[in-house]
Each structure stands twice: as C-alpha cells, then as structure tokens.
Amino acid sequence: MSAADLTTPVPRVAMRRPSPRFLASELRLVLRRRRNMAGLVVLAAVPIFIAVAVKSTASQPGSDAPAFFQSITENGLFVSLAALTIELGLFLPLAVAAISGDAIAGEANLGTLRYLLTVPVARLRLLGIKYAAIVIFSFLATFLIAIVGMAIGLILFGGGDVTTLSGTQISFAAGLGRVALAAVYLSLALASLGAVGLFISTLTEQPIAATIATVVFSTASFILDSIPQVHWLHPYLLTHHWMSFGDLLRAPIAWDGVVHGLYLAASYGLVFFLAAWARFAGKDVTS
Amino acid sequence: MTPPDAVRTVGLTKRFGSHAAVDGIDLVVPAGSVYGFLGPNGSGKTTTIRMLLGLITPTHGEIELLGHPVPSRVVDALPRVGALVEGPAFHPYLSGIDNLRRLDAADRTADPATSGRRLGEALDRVGLAAAAGKRYRAYSLGMRQRLAIAAALLTPKDLMVLDEPTNGLDPQGTREVRSLIASLADDGTTVLVSSHLLSEVEQVCTHIGVMHVGRLVTQGSAAEIRRQQEAEAWVDTDQPEQAARVMRELGLSDVRITPHGAVGRLGEVAPEKVVTACVHAGLAVTRFVVDAPTLEEIFVGLTGEGFDVSG
Amino acid sequence: MTLFARRPQLRWLVPLIAVAVLASAGSVAATITASARDPLPARSAAQLLVDVQNARVDGLSGTVVQSASLGLPALPGPSGDQSSNLSSLVSGSHTLRVWAAGPEQARIALLGQLGESDVVRNGSDVWIWSSRDNSARHLKIPADAGHSRADTPTPGQPTTPQQAADAALRAITPTTRVSTARTAEVAGRSAYELVLTPRDAATLVGQVRIAVDGATHIPTRVQVFARGAKKPAFEVGFTSFNPSTPSSSVFRFNPPPGAKVTQGMVGGADHSPAARPQDAGTKPQLVGEGWTTVVKATLPQSTEGSTGRRSGEHADGASPLGNLDAMVQKLPAVSGAWGSGHLLRGTLFSVLVTDDGHVVAGAVAPERLYAALAAK
C-alpha cells in the first residue's frame, strides 16, 4: 500500500481529528424534525396520562391491572415503570423504528444520500454515525418516559421506600437506581431493534416502508414469543428478554434474564449492523 | 510534476440486468480542462458520473479520479471533488445554510474553525446570501440549484463535476452558471459539465465528449472536434465556372457550382487564399463565406438526433 | 477492502460469520469448560443413592427451570395471564429461584413476568408473598412439627442409607433397568446420572434421568423422556447452582406497607395453596402394575363448591376444575366397545374422560386405557 501511495500523484487530503460535528448534526436533524418532536411528546404524555388516571379514579387498581399499576399509589416511582411497561409493547418500538427506518432510506428518498456520500462520507462511517444517533435516541426516549413518569408520580403520589417484586423494601435512592438500571437496559434493548431498522433502511428508498417493516419485526417477535408451540424459538427472539427489566426490581436482583437480554441485544445489534454494512457498502445509490 | 488527467476511465461499463447503460467508455478529462459531457437524455451521462463519484459500482472497467482508483479509494479523491449530481437534494425542513452546515460537518477534511466564513463565501458566490435562513422547502428551483452549487464550493476543489447544472434555471441563471464555470476554470479547477443542451456549454468548453446510447462516440478538444468536419468556402460571383476552376486549382475538393457562384471544401487551404486567388483571377467577388459546421450539426451527424433545444 | 470491492456479495459472509460465532459462543464455552474438568469417578447406582442420602450442604442458592413439552393439544385457557391457565402448566416453562441455609431457612421465588410469588421460611415464620395480589400470608410453624416434617426421611423404613438404597433398587429392579452415567452437566457442573429405563415396552415413558451433582451429591435435575424422543418431555433442574450459604438477608421478610396481610398456622386447613379439592370423587383404582399402571377414577359430579370458595384466593391455583368441563369437550372424541369419551393424548401419558363420568389415565398408549375400561 505504501508503494502505491508514493506513486499516487495527487497527495491525499489530510483527514482532521475525529470530531463530534457530524454526529451532532445528525442529532439536530433528528430532534429538530417536527414529526420526531411530536413522537417524543406522545411518549412523554403516556406516564402523565397514567398518573392522572390512577389519581382521579377512586378505587385502587386491582390485581388485574397492568403490572406496576397497583404500586403507583404507594410510590410515585412506579409511574415510570408502569409507563415503560405499557409503552414497550408498541410506542417505544414505533419511535425507534421511525428513526432507524428513516436513517438511510430517508436520505435516499430525499436524494441527500448522494450528496453525503460525495462530501465524502465513507459508507461505514455514515452507518456508524446513523446508528450512534439511533442509540442515543433510544436512550433519550426511554429516559424521557422514566423521568417524566417519576416527576409526575412524585408530585401526585409522593416517594419513599420502594417495595420490590419480592415484597421487600429498599430505600428510595436504591429504588431510583433500579429504575435507572431498567431504563438503561430497555434503551439497549431498543437500540438493538434500531440496528434491525437500520438494516431494513438500507434495503429500500421508502422510509415509511422501512419503519413499518421494523415495527412488524418487533411485533412479530412479541407474538411469536407468546406462542408456546414455538418455544424453541423464544430464546432467540429479539423481544424475548425485554420484560426481564422487571428482574431488576427483585430482591436480590435476578441477573440471568437481563444478562441474556443484553447478550441478545448485543448480538442483534452487531449482526444487523454488519448486515446493514454488507448491504450498503456495495449498494448502487441511484436515488 | 505534470498533473495527471483529472478523470480517466478504461472500458467503463455498467449493466442493469442485461441492459448496458454505459458500454465500455474510455473517458479522459485532462487536468485544467472544461469538459463538456454531452448527449441526449438517457444516453448514460448520469450513470457515468455516478460511477466516477463512487455512487455506483461499475460492472467492468477501471476509473481513476484525481489519480485515485475508484471505487476502492474514492474517499481519498472526493475531498477535492465538488459534485452536483442529477439536481439538488436537501432536507426540506432545514434552512439553506443549515443544509450546508450539515454537509460541512460531515466533511472530515473541512476545518470547523473556518466553517462560518466558508459557508458565507459559498452562499455569496451563488447569490443566495439573502435567502440563507429560509427553509429549503420555500426555495425556487433556481435557488435550489444554486444551493447545490454552493455546497460543492464549501472547500477548494481540483475538480467540479456538474451534472446538468442549468436545469431549471432561467436564461439569466444559465448565464451565471456559465460565468461560474469560467471563473472556476480561471482558478485552475477542472470542470466536467454534463448537459443535454449543447448551446449552454459550447462556448465555455475546451474539451468535449459525446455520449450516445451508452457509448462515447467522440471525445477530444473542441478544436479537434471542429476540425473533424471540414469547413466549406462559398464564393458568390457572376462567373461561377471561373470561380470553380480557381478553387480546384487551389486544391479545394468537392467543388460545386451554385446559383450564385461556387462552393468547395477548404481542407488544409486557408480561407483568405481563396479570396486572393479569386481576385487575382479577375473575378468580381460579391460575397465570401466560410461555413464551419456548428457543433450542433456535428452531433446530429454523430448521434443521429438533435439536441433538445427547446428545454 | 479490495476483495470486497471485487466481489461485493462476499460482504454478506461477515454478518453470517457473526451469527455463527455468536450462536455457538455459549456452547463452545460450555464445551471448553466441560472438557477441562476432570471426569467424575465411576459410581454404581446403589452408591449414588447412598451419596444422595448422605448429601448435606450448609446452604445453596440457584435457579431452577421447569419445562414441559408433553405434546398436548393447545388448550384454549382463560386469556391473558400466562401462568394461571392450565396449558401453561403442561407446556412452556417456569423459573424458580431457590435459597436455603441450614434446615430452618429457605426461600423459593416463582418468577413471573413483572411479578413474583415467594415462599420464605425463616425459623418458625413462613411468609407467602404474591406481588400480583400485593398480599402476604404469614404462617407460624409449631416448634415440634417443623423439624420432623422438613428433615426426617420416611420413617419406619431401613435405618441406614445403604439399606435404604438397596431396598429401593430391589423394589424397582423387576420393572426397571437402572444404570448410571457420569457425563451429565447441570448448571455448568459435572453430574452423575441415574438412568431408569422401563422394561415394559408398553409404557410411553422411555427413560427417566436423574442428575446428581458430582461434588455435593444433591439431585440437580430430573428429566423424563418419551419413548424414542431425543428431548425430554418434562424437565426440572437447576440452571445455576451455587453450593454456598446465601446471605441471611434473603430470608428476611417484612410485609411492605399497603400489602394485605393474613395470618395462619401450618397444619391448619387453609395453609397450602396447592391443596387438592377435598371432594375428589370416589377413591381411584389401579389397574396393572409397574410403568403401565392405569389409574381409574370417577369424576366428582359438581365442582361448584370448591371453585367458589377458592376463587380470588390465589391467582395461580384458580379453579383448575372450573374450566375442566369446557376443556374436555374440546378434546377429540373417541368411542369403542367400552363406550365413548374424550381423549387427551400426550407424548408421556394419555387421559380418557368417558361420557359416563369416568377418568382413566396412565403412561401408556390409549389402547391400554380402553383395555383397562373394558376390564371393569
């Protein structure tokens, strides 16, 4: 390679130190888009709605209520967990799918992809930046729900010691730590779905199609996970361990499901990122 | 060190299925030239340009862009290449300057410290400074085109690739693009400009290549191409036979009698010699015309169809 | 890079290799650790049984997974709550965490999705907690009862472990081939296996394998295989096992504020959530012997009383009989010289509910059930 460099008549233009400018630009692009802002507002509205609904209903949620609802009146922190549980089924995957499905297909659809590539942005770098923005968005969406839920919960129901699923109590600070752990875990789980979305986004020039396909992927994963006849498939399903975030609320914490979930999330993230690269690195950009 | 050719391809071919959009072309764009890349719509110009920029992988053939092999090392070449490919494309909900900011942020060779100044200069150069803060959505087609050119000018370039730069521009805008190309050329930038409108680029090009159904039917300096078709000398006089005889003696070929005089192909004969010889022979020359074929006529001959002059 | 530039499709190998590596990473690691371990010394079946009886650990903790794939038709149960319908008891899996320290401290937690049921024993206190109901039941163990119940092996039997083992083996040898293996691995630990193979080919049970931890001699897994099957139809075993005394804090339980708390005594009528309904029809009758034994019984005519009393008391045990009639009607109908009824056919056992209110069941093919009915 060095010999070739010597004979190359045109000197290479020096690359500057890696800087966060492009990532920052990517995040601004995502967050300043009105559609995405509206999505985040909807995500944040759910915990508020839950808290107000529980507060304004005279009777306590019974044992048939969704998980964590009963505990809301005891401790406002559970608004976060209840909202995360509710939104994990559709809203959060949808939000991540919207961002990740748009990542490449959106730029291709607008035609901006060809201008980014001729700037130039190396294709692997573009995928890396896009995925980094997806991961950051996953954290942002999850923590937004958790923080809004905690705030409204503490206002309406107050805090105090937190009752774990095992029936024992831990301090409020420890409980806060558990909720933060759960939010981190779910963020990483959603980020792995984002890798799937990124891959699908390289297959098409229609961002909406990529988003829908990504939501279908996560929903199909949920559905298959609930069909006992295919239980052999369950440990490999992307969403199989998502609900294991509840294991962080046990005393002591049951790490098995969470560790498996993280391994699965990392695996899906890596495999689908590589698949996105395999597809995109040699793809003809004709849009 | 003599500068290499800015672009060189060998046997460049792109097939989509069984259809060859580009079929074995050997493109040579000398450094410092203004290369008019001409051909009707659908003749393979844009596919070729996309291959030069690494957007499309060739089916066969080799490309060197500023001395770097493409697509393997395209990332090394592109920082010195400005490109406008198949019309402008930007994020509609960002302002013009924000769109440029994004492209500048994506450029690892651009200096963040000078970003603001460079953005301003590029916008000034295309006359968009006043509309920089407007959302791209609200831009007219002409403004969009200018923004795309501004984006290509954010950093100094050795090669500008302009694919149909005058599309959607009014005559005034077209003139501005021409003068922009001229000023780029003055700065020493090589320009590869594609067009299906011959008249727009004819005046500024030093080199010309013509595409027809995926093939490069001719290529060379503008002077060479003109020389391929010989000029004819028309002499109007009341003594056509005399005039024809003088012209034959001078060595003109294909000499014919016309209602008003005679006409013949000049070949290597200088036009002024024809006039002198006629006058010496005592002919009353009422009119003398040297009719060099326009590029338009040459291309009609090469491609079998005219360029769209209405668009 | 140049290779990929020339052959772009080769890029797809990269994610495929990643899939292969990631999927096999777990099993490769297991193989490496397993092969690195010294093989266990050989033990006879009798020796193993003695080992098991002599096994004493000060404490342990671990995770137990029970899974069953009994080949039953999917039974439409009450929707939603996954652990409360009958089909989930015979298919799917359940995860338990267990802790024990000495004879007086133990805790079992049944992990549900975003829920948990615990049974915690600490000395003479027993707490039963359900996060779903937000309820805690407190039981007191009488000072004398607790010990004998928990620890003493069945009384009035052979006095030494060796004798007990010999007696047990003598009892089953006529019907069962007993062998041992020492290649099992349970929860990442080497284990012996006691392999029971029925001699009678008429039973659906192919093999029962009981794994015994090589170091602590605690039984760590039971697997039941259907005849000819490679995968167990029923399995319960440790997936993680730690033979050291857990921290005493895991046995400490104080009902959280806001929880419903009820009190009771062990041995009282209401103590066990797993208690069978008392009105269980006529006394069952056994036909045949050994592995092909068929149980014959008459169904209780009404289940109303028991379901009414028990509903809302414990979510997991809610009215198993209440849905029974509806479920039976959905099973395939069969008929023969013995009459007609509905057949539940699994890989390990068959159950026949006749239209005249009899139930016959056994680890045999349905033909044996028909024969047993005809023999009445």
Side-chain angles (χ1 to χ4, degrees):
Chain A
M1 214 56 211
S2 57
D5 283 356
L6 286 177
T7 56
T8 301
V10 174
R12 275 196 212 167
V13 182
M15 298 283 174
R16 291 180 182 276
R17 273 186 307 110
S19 95
R21 279 175 83 207
F22 189 25
L23 179 58
S25 153
E26 184 63 33
L27 286 174
R28 266 199 305 276
L29 190 71
V30 168
L31 295 179
R32 276 171 54 178
R33 195 161 170 190
R34 213 174 294 163
R35 182 194 78 177
N36 299 341
M37 284 308 299
L40 287 176
V41 168
V42 170
L43 290 182
V46 170
I48 296 176
F49 179 78
I50 290 173
V52 172
V54 169
K55 184 74 177 178
S56 58
T57 312
S59 62
Q60 277 223 347
S63 60
D64 54 342
F68 299 121
F69 268 63
Q70 294 177 71
S71 312
I72 287 175
T73 51
E74 301 292 332
N75 193 321
L77 203 54
F78 281 96
V79 175
S80 291
L81 295 167
L84 284 173
T85 310
I86 295 272
E87 299 201 50
L88 197 52
L90 182 63
F91 282 19
L92 275 170
L94 183 62
V96 171
I99 302 301
S100 59
D102 198 55
I104 300 296
E107 302 267 12
N109 192 41
L110 285 176
T112 44
L113 182 58
R114 61 177 184 264
Y115 285 108
L116 277 178
L117 293 180
T118 52
V119 157
V121 180
R123 295 188 179 199
L124 183 59
R125 176 172 168 240
L126 181 61
L127 284 176
I129 293 285
K130 288 285 182 185
Y131 190 52
I134 292 167
V135 173
I136 291 171
F137 180 83
S138 302
F139 273 86
L140 190 74
T142 312
F143 273 86
L144 179 73
I145 295 169
I147 290 170
V148 170
M150 187 184 70
I152 187 78
L154 293 183
I155 291 169
L156 294 184
F157 305 103
D161 285 358
V162 177
T163 303
T164 64
L165 289 175
S166 308
T168 54
Q169 290 212 304
I170 54 177
S171 71
F172 181 75
L176 207 59
R178 301 285 185 97
V179 174
L181 269 182
V184 168
Y185 174 72
L186 290 180
S187 302
L188 292 171
L190 287 165
S192 68
L193 176 65
V196 177
L198 181 69
F199 169 63
I200 295 174
S201 187
T202 62
L203 300 178
T204 171
E205 288 171 10
Q206 296 304 321
I208 301 296
T211 296
I212 291 172
T214 309
V215 172
V216 166
F217 185 91
S218 79
T219 308
S221 181
F222 273 122
I223 291 173
L224 286 174
D225 202 29
S226 68
I227 298 177
Q229 280 77 3
V230 291
H231 66 90
W232 53 270
L233 185 64
H234 291 175
Y236 306 103
L237 291 173
L238 176 65
T239 58
H240 181 60
H241 291 288
W242 281 15
M243 287 298 170
S244 297
F245 81 89
D247 293 353
L248 297 167
L249 276 300
R250 305 185 195 281
I253 293 175
W255 289 105
D256 283 12
V258 173
V259 168
H260 281 129
L262 288 175
Y263 182 75
L264 203 62
S267 299
Y268 265 84
L270 181 67
V271 167
F272 277 91
F273 184 83
L274 289 175
W277 166 78
R279 162 70 180 165
F280 186 58
K283 188 191 183 191
D284 282 350
V285 175
T286 54
S287 63
Chain B
M1 184 175 80
T2 51
D5 293 326
V7 176
R8 198 165 54 209
T9 75
V10 180
L12 186 61
T13 301
K14 180 65 185 183
R15 292 181 188 283
F16 295 110
S18 62
H19 165 70
V22 174
D23 195 0
I25 70 172
D26 302 329
L27 194 69
V28 178
V29 179
S33 66
V34 176
Y35 188 105
F37 194 40
L38 304 170
N41 284 329
S43 58
K45 300 188 305 282
T46 297
T47 303
T48 304
I49 285 177
R50 282 178 182 269
M51 283 193 280
L52 298 183
L53 298 173
L55 294 172
I56 292 183
T57 312
T59 314
H60 296 296
E62 279 159 33
I63 304 173
E64 249 182 36
L65 184 66
L66 297 179
H68 298 282
V70 172
S72 56
R73 308 299 315 166
V74 72
V75 171
D76 295 329
L78 286 178
R80 306 296 296 174
V81 179
L84 171 66
V85 192
E86 233 185 327
F90 292 95
H91 293 282
Y93 44 87
L94 293 185
S95 68
I97 195 165
D98 278 345
N99 269 301
L100 293 191
R101 230 172 240 141
R102 174 169 168 73
L103 290 171
D104 194 57
D107 188 350
R108 290 184 64 188
T109 65
D111 182 0
T114 60
S115 174
R117 179 174 57 75
R118 288 183 290 109
L119 258 59
E121 284 172 3
L123 286 165
D124 267 344
R125 195 157 178 186
V126 297
L128 269 183
K134 265 171 88 174
R135 281 182 177 234
Y136 178 74
R137 195 194 297 279
Y139 277 21
S140 70
L141 190 53
M143 292 163 85
R144 292 176 177 197
Q145 196 81 2
R146 287 158 198 251
L147 188 65
I149 294 172
L153 294 172
L154 286 175
T155 52
K157 309 291 185 189
D158 293 335
L159 171 66
M160 285 290 281
V161 178
L162 303 173
D163 184 15
E164 304 279 2
T166 55
N167 250 8
L169 295 187
D170 55 13
Q172 168 66 17
T174 306
R175 271 194 297 280
E176 284 174 13
V177 167
R178 266 202 300 267
S179 78
L180 179 80
I181 292 173
S183 80
L184 286 167
D186 286 348
D187 298 345
T189 307
T190 310
V191 181
L192 171 62
V193 53
S194 89
S195 182
H196 65 284
L197 296 181
L198 172 69
S199 56
E200 287 184 348
V201 294
E202 190 180 353
Q203 308 157 33
V204 289
C205 291
T206 62
H207 289 70
I208 279 168
V210 180
M211 291 288 287
H212 179 57
V213 208
R215 290 174 179 278
L216 190 62
V217 289
T218 191
Q219 169 176 249
S221 73
E224 279 168 9
I225 298 220
R226 286 205 174 85
R227 227 175 287 134
Q228 283 176 8
Q229 287 271 337
E230 291 166 27
E232 289 181 321
W234 295 74
V235 178
D236 285 10
T237 173
D238 52 354
Q239 293 168 282
E241 282 78 12
Q242 285 285 356
R245 187 182 50 81
V246 170
M247 289 161 84
R248 280 197 197 93
E249 282 170 357
L250 272 173
L252 275 69
S253 57
D254 198 18
V255 177
R256 288 147 4 243
I257 307 288
T258 68
H260 306 289
V263 58
R265 292 198 178 187
L266 274 168
E268 298 300 310
V269 181
E272 59 274 17
K273 279 195 173 172
V274 178
V275 186
T276 326
C278 286
V279 173
H280 276 293
L283 297 174
V285 177
T286 55
R287 201 167 72 103
F288 180 75
V289 175
V290 175
D291 183 18
T294 59
L295 284 174
E296 178 83 32
E297 286 160 328
I298 295 173
F299 298 146
V300 171
L302 286 170
T303 65
E305 54 188 296
F307 286 88
D308 176 12
V309 283
S310 60
Chain C
M1 265 309 183
T2 46
L3 174 68
F4 289 137
R6 250 183 299 127
R7 308 284 303 275
Q9 315 90 301
L10 286 183
R11 290 197 182 92
W12 290 101
L13 286 178
V14 177
L16 289 178
I17 290 168
V19 170
V21 168
L22 290 166
S24 59
S27 56
V28 168
T31 316
I32 290 167
T33 52
S35 56
R37 260 196 300 272
D38 292 332
L40 296 169
R43 302 294 271 177
S44 72
Q47 284 172 314
L48 265 186
L49 289 179
V50 173
D51 288 343
V52 168
Q53 292 181 72
N54 286 337
R56 286 292 178 272
V57 288
D58 295 332
L60 64 86
S61 61
T63 305
V64 175
V65 172
Q66 174 263 317
S67 63
S69 53
L70 299 176
L72 302 181
L75 298 175
S79 64
D81 197 359
Q82 59 159 9
S83 59
S84 72
N85 68 45
L86 187 56
S87 65
S88 86
L89 297 177
V90 292
S91 64
S93 72
H94 295 266
T95 304
L96 299 154
R97 300 170 86 193
V98 296
W99 296 265
E104 300 272 288
Q105 290 183 313
R107 177 173 154 199
I108 297 173
L110 172 62
L111 308 189
Q113 204 174 67
L114 309 181
E116 183 171 322
S117 300
D118 283 66
V119 179
V120 187
R121 179 180 176 198
N122 197 356
S124 60
D125 290 312
V126 174
W127 286 95
I128 301 170
W129 157 256
S130 162
S131 72
R132 201 98 192 102
D133 305 337
N134 194 20
S135 69
R137 172 179 287 265
H138 184 211
L139 306 173
K140 274 284 184 191
I141 299 179
D144 54 336
H147 199 259
S148 68
R149 263 172 175 275
D151 264 42
T152 314
T154 331
Q157 290 291 312
T159 46
T160 69
Q162 184 67 56
Q163 285 171 326
D166 290 344
L169 285 175
R170 253 198 320 278
I172 62 170
T173 305
T175 60
T176 311
R177 239 183 4 259
V178 180
S179 59
T180 59
R182 46 188 172 125
T183 53
E185 194 195 284
V186 177
R189 299 161 62 89
S190 299
Y192 291 104
E193 270 190 314
L194 197 58
V195 183
L196 312 179
T197 313
R199 294 182 196 275
D200 190 338
T203 175
L204 293 173
V205 177
Q207 221 169 44
V208 177
R209 301 177 80 95
I210 300 163
V212 176
D213 187 62
T216 63
H217 299 140
I218 289 175
T220 47
R221 187 177 69 192
V222 176
Q223 293 174 312
V224 184
F225 292 78
R227 189 169 293 279
K230 292 243 172 13
K231 290 195 154 185
F234 174 87
E235 175 171 356
V236 54
F238 282 92
T239 55
S240 75
F241 182 83
N242 178 8
S244 59
T245 309
S247 148
S248 65
S249 65
V250 302
F251 305 108
R252 217 172 289 138
F253 188 88
N254 291 307
K260 295 184 285 286
V261 179
T262 49
Q263 303 285 343
M265 285 291 283
V266 170
D270 58 352
H271 82 281
S272 168
R276 296 274 140 246
Q278 279 83 6
D279 45 1
T282 54
K283 195 171 158 48
Q285 169 192 358
L286 301 180
V287 180
E289 62 177 8
W291 291 92
T292 53
T293 306
V294 170
V295 183
K296 259 165 74 172
T298 311
L299 271 187
Q301 285 309 303
S302 163
T303 58
E304 245 53 50
S306 69
T307 53
R309 184 170 60 79
R310 295 178 54 81
S311 66
E313 191 178 56
H314 192 271
D316 281 4
S319 60
L321 288 177
N323 303 309
L324 201 56
D325 281 343
M327 283 185 182
V328 165
Q329 293 308 314
K330 293 203 172 84
L331 293 172
V334 289
S335 63
W338 46 269
S340 63
H342 292 271
L343 178 69
L344 177 66
R345 184 174 193 166
T347 47
L348 272 188
F349 60 86
S350 308
V351 179
L352 177 64
V353 182
T354 64
D355 294 340
D356 54 1
H358 294 289
V359 182
V360 235
V364 291
E367 291 69 29
R368 282 281 177 137
L369 300 183
Y370 306 152
L373 271 176
K376 109 181 106 169

